[in-house]
Amino acid sequence: MDRTRVGSGLVVAILVVQVLASLVWSADATLTGIALAFNAVAAVSTALFVRRGGRAAWVVVGWCAGFFGWHVLGLGELAGWWTTGLEAAFAVAGRYQLSVVYQAVLAAAAGFAVHLLLPRQRQVSAT
């Protein structure tokens, strides 16, 4: 399997988990709506990326990088490193340990997706 397929599959898995979590555990209807809108844009971007054979990866990579940043922000909020006022957005089922695991797993998955989807420069041998 090539990196693009694995990365795209990882993005789809992240989207599914994020949508389900938003629908099941969200404490606020506005936050749920915003999350679903962002995830819909990411799903369309990923579908177009896959259909075009890997061209325009920057759109999906940008979304994954933003997603990574969002969950790192959530980890910092849960750890008490900073206060954003968005604790309701980062809480999962009102349980601290589950929230930390959820934020950490999704941040790591998004970071790995960025790593897989970024274009690589080919090494040219001097022979």
Side-chain angles (χ1 to χ4, degrees), residues 21 25 78 87-96 98-100 102-103:
W25 290 317
L78 293 170
E87 45 286 328
F90 302 120
V92 176
R95 296 178 51 202
Y96 177 76
L98 181 61
S99 299
V100 170
Y102 175 78
Q103 301 300 334

Side-chain angles (χ1 to χ4, degrees), residues 38-103:
F38 276 110
N39 289 328
V41 169
V44 169
S45 298
T46 303
L48 291 173
F49 171 66
V50 170
R51 281 189 62 204
R52 292 180 179 163
R55 292 189 313 252
W58 64 270
V59 175
V60 178
V61 169
W63 178 83
C64 289
F67 192 80
F68 170 79
W70 174 256
H71 288 282
V72 169
L73 181 72
L75 282 170
E77 174 81 31
L78 293 170
W81 295 337
W82 48 74
T83 302
T84 62
L86 295 171
E87 45 286 328
F90 302 120
V92 176
R95 296 178 51 202
Y96 177 76
Q97 289 84 4
L98 181 61
S99 299
V100 170
V101 169
Y102 175 78
Q103 301 300 334

Side-chain angles (χ1 to χ4, degrees), residues 26-37:
S26 183
D28 183 65
T30 302
L31 290 174
T32 300
I34 292 169
L36 293 177

